[in-house]
Amino acid sequence: MTNMTKTITLPTAPREFGLYINGKWVAAQGHKLFERCSPAHGVPVTRTIVGTEADVNTAVAAAKTAFEKRRWAGLSGQQRGDVLLKAAALIRERAEELAVLETFETGKPISQSRGEVLASAGIYEYAAGAARMLHGDTFNNLGDEMFGLVTREPIGVVGLITPWNFPFFILAERLPFILASGCTVVAKPSDLTSATTLIMAEILTKAGLPDGVFNVVTGSGSTVGEVLSHHPDIDMLSFTGSTDIGKRVLAASASNFKKLSLELGGKNPHLVFADAQLEDAVDGVIFGFCFNAGQCCVGGSRLLVEKSILPKFEQLLAQKLSRLRVGDPLNPQTQVGAIVNEKQHQTISDYIARGVKQNARLVTQGNVHASAEGLFIQPTVFSDVTSDMDIATDEIFGPVLAILPFETEEEAIRIANDTIYGLSATIWTQNLSIAMRAVRSIRAGRVWVNTTISGGPEMPSGGFKQSGIGRETGLYGVEEYTEIKSTHIALGPRTHWVS
Ligand code: NDP
């Protein structure tokens, strides 16, 4: 653990939040409360309402009324964009408050939270422009007696279920695009990390968002999430989380044929070819599996290395990892913070034990550390991993790397695609032909070449195979939340069917 001066103090009492429905806070009275402790320090930091089915129904009714009265959909793209731009400015004003709460609830390093909050403001700004770019198509080639219009309309009321790993950033990758399209929303953040989503609701009202357009019901997935995914007045559901719960949501959506956008798990490979810039690749691989303590859907948890460079690569990896700063997330120097909760900490520890039991070779020994100080796990690297080991197949969601050596390009691609997932992949080589062959062959929604987990809101994100359905961000991310309508307009007198 690093031991440097802290610049932020822990709260003496948890901050309390209500629900946010129809442009107002709903007070906690009469509700059960959930107390969230900082996973890095073990002290209570926030208290939120455990929402009920009745709360979801109230929020959905508010969102439905706002949609049907066209309070938001009836505005111009420019007006919607103005609200999103004001919201971005308010995020920047409240950036420190948001970042500190994000770190208190997630355990991620404060420097990272600050970066994510500011990057989120940038996404709202991008989506403000996208609100003005949304358009349809015309068909002027249907003959003189017909004219065709293809228009995009907001799909309606969207249920938005988000996870705990990037509470504010994942919200930013979805919400402003949904709002840009003209839809209204009922959001359910993870009960572990609800604070910044609730503050976003307050920010949006202040920025001029009409009442009822964005509502937040906190609480458990088994109640609030289930009710949202079955609700007949929810037209579309955007879900980010595990593949298992994604399957439940998919089944529940059949009740009224909700449109779905699912961003689920991944077991994402890094492919390092012998000609790669090794120092860069080592750094990228470490960032890929340690960023956010490995609790990252696009994190690179499988490392495929060309056999001829494996010993050298392992040596460089171990050397660099020894300099990684793991510890108190309130310390601005920290690079890897705490694991989100005891359950996740236990899951990761169990996988490390299984890796040892299944005879993978430890390159760096993960120090599993759960004490009064908090829940930490030092990055752990296994080599000589084979495809049948659990650490090679399962999404662990922790700082654990499984190295699988390969001898040929074909073998590398085969191993990379040997997974039920298809969220992302990263390729390290200086040879453009190798890189492009890999880009074309790997079945994943996002591929990076000589970099990893980078990019902006311009490019869409989403998964192949069991990593999801649909795309978020970019103009695709706005279009995803629209229905397409074809309008046929007859010109001139009608040729009668019945004479
Ligand atoms: P979950 O899939 O359980 O949770 C994601 C969201 O769904 C949370 O808001 C959760 O609520 C909600 N939820 C839970 N059950 C239901 C349900 N029956 N119906 C509707 N919504 C529900 O992920 P976890 O947070 O438990 O994380 C477990 C695993 O999921 C991780 O180990 C990782 O593999 C994966 N994951 C993937 C992410 C990604 O970005 N692709 C993000 C986070 C996790 P609540 O938690 O409040 O009960």
Side-chain angles (χ1 to χ4, degrees):
M1 300 291 127
T2 51
N3 184 24
M4 296 183 189
T5 329
K6 288 179 198 167
T7 53
I8 301 163
T9 50
L10 288 161
T12 48
R15 182 164 164 183
E16 207 164 285
F17 292 89
L19 305 176
Y20 202 90
I21 299 177
N22 213 13
K24 287 159 210 69
W25 288 107
V26 175
Q29 280 141 337
H31 279 92
K32 265 172 69 183
L33 298 178
F34 172 80
E35 196 163 81
R36 173 64 174 153
C37 287
S38 158
H41 313 93
V43 303
V45 284
T46 54
R47 211 179 272 150
T48 49
I49 289 179
V50 180
T52 60
E53 181 169 359
D55 295 321
V56 179
N57 288 338
T58 309
V60 173
K64 191 178 174 197
T65 303
F67 185 72
E68 286 180 349
K69 289 193 180 299
R70 297 186 62 76
R71 278 183 212 152
W72 183 239
L75 303 187
S76 67
Q78 182 180 3
Q79 288 169 312
R80 288 204 290 271
D82 282 348
V83 171
L84 294 173
L85 286 175
K86 277 187 203 129
L90 290 168
I91 291 172
R92 292 184 195 282
E93 262 177 38
R94 295 179 71 171
E96 188 62 10
E97 175 195 0
L98 287 161
V100 169
L101 275 168
E102 197 80 328
T103 285
F104 281 166
E105 289 194 333
T106 60
K108 68 175 69 191
I110 187 66
S111 58
Q112 189 188 318
S113 292
R114 287 174 178 145
E116 284 169 16
V117 168
L118 293 180
S120 297
I123 304 180
Y124 283 81
E125 284 156 359
Y126 172 85
R132 303 186 68 173
M133 291 176 73
L134 194 62
H135 64 91
D137 216 344
T138 55
F139 284 81
N140 201 26
N141 61 348
L142 305 178
D144 281 349
E145 285 159 14
M146 185 70 81
F147 185 64
L149 296 173
V150 179
T151 47
R152 285 190 178 272
E153 298 180 1
I155 199 161
V157 181
V158 177
L160 177 57
I161 301 177
T162 53
W164 43 259
N165 54 347
F166 295 93
F168 197 67
F169 191 76
I170 284 182
L171 183 75
E173 287 186 318
R174 285 133 184 78
L175 179 60
F177 298 88
I178 302 173
L179 293 178
S181 75
C183 291
T184 62
V185 184
V186 179
K188 191 216 93 67
S190 162
D191 55 1
L192 302 174
T193 56
S194 300
T196 53
T197 301
L198 288 159
I199 290 178
M200 196 59 222
E202 189 178 74
I203 284 177
L204 281 162
T205 298
K206 203 162 172 215
L209 192 76
D211 291 349
V213 177
F214 182 55
N215 309 275
V216 184
V217 181
T218 50
S220 74
S222 55
T223 303
V224 178
E226 284 279 341
V227 175
L228 273 178
S229 26
H230 283 94
H231 207 293
D233 291 332
I234 295 282
D235 302 292
M236 178 164 173
L237 203 71
S238 168
F239 172 86
T240 308
S242 61
T243 293
D244 282 351
I245 302 290
K247 285 180 183 168
R248 286 182 73 101
V249 166
L250 182 73
S253 68
S255 56
N256 66 331
F257 288 96
K258 287 177 188 67
K259 190 176 173 186
L260 282 178
S261 174
L262 303 176
E263 188 169 321
L264 310 173
K267 187 72 184 176
N268 312 298
H270 278 236
L271 285 67
V272 182
F273 292 92
D275 73 308
Q277 277 282 357
L278 285 198
E279 299 282 349
D280 286 356
V282 165
D283 191 71
V285 164
I286 292 176
F287 182 66
F289 88 97
C290 295
F291 177 60
N292 213 44
Q295 304 165 118
C296 181
C297 55
V298 290
S301 51
R302 285 189 300 152
L303 173 60
L304 283 42
V305 184
E306 196 157 345
K307 222 170 201 164
S308 59
I309 57 162
L310 184 60
K312 172 92 181 147
F313 202 89
E314 284 178 6
Q315 189 195 8
L316 291 173
L317 200 60
Q319 276 168 5
K320 199 156 205 189
L321 272 173
S322 68
R323 302 198 295 275
L324 193 69
R325 298 184 297 273
V326 182
D328 186 346
L330 296 180
N331 181 336
Q333 304 304 318
T334 294
Q335 292 170 293
V336 179
I339 302 301
V340 75
N341 65 1
E342 272 166 33
K343 183 170 160 244
Q344 190 65 16
H345 189 271
Q346 189 59 51
T347 302
I348 301 165
S349 311
D350 289 349
Y351 271 109
I352 293 173
R354 270 145 85 178
V356 173
K357 200 167 162 214
Q358 292 178 347
N359 292 325
R361 176 167 55 84
L362 268 173
V363 177
T364 61
Q365 171 68 61
N367 175 14
V368 176
H369 180 80
S371 70
E373 280 177 58
L375 304 161
F376 295 90
I377 293 186
Q378 292 282 346
T380 305
V381 179
F382 286 103
S383 194
D384 298 338
V385 175
T386 52
S387 291
D388 54 340
M389 293 182 190
D390 296 339
I391 54 170
T393 55
D394 297 2
E395 184 185 45
I396 300 172
F397 233 56
V400 181
L401 182 68
I403 304 183
L404 297 94
F406 69 85
E407 286 187 78
T408 64
E409 210 178 303
E410 293 69 29
E411 190 186 7
I413 302 294
R414 186 186 54 71
I415 301 172
N417 283 330
D418 184 19
T419 168
I420 59 165
Y421 299 111
L423 201 56
S424 76
T426 302
I427 297 147
W428 299 93
T429 175
Q430 295 184 76
N431 182 318
L432 185 60
S433 301
I434 293 179
M436 282 313 298
R437 276 197 295 273
V439 167
R440 287 177 169 157
S441 312
I442 290 175
R443 304 204 57 223
R446 264 202 277 187
V447 182
W448 287 284
V449 179
N450 295 329
T451 182
T452 197
I453 320 183
S454 56
E458 294 82 357
M459 309 263 283
S461 58
F464 283 28
K465 302 197 273 184
Q466 292 190 36
S467 289
I469 297 174
R471 293 294 177 268
E472 307 283 359
T473 63
L475 284 181
Y476 306 88
V478 188
E479 290 174 356
E480 196 74 38
Y481 293 94
T482 61
E483 286 277 23
I484 289 178
K485 182 179 280 175
S486 291
T487 303
H488 307 255
I489 303 172
L491 304 170
R494 177 173 173 79
T495 308
H496 284 213
W497 187 47
V498 182
S499 53

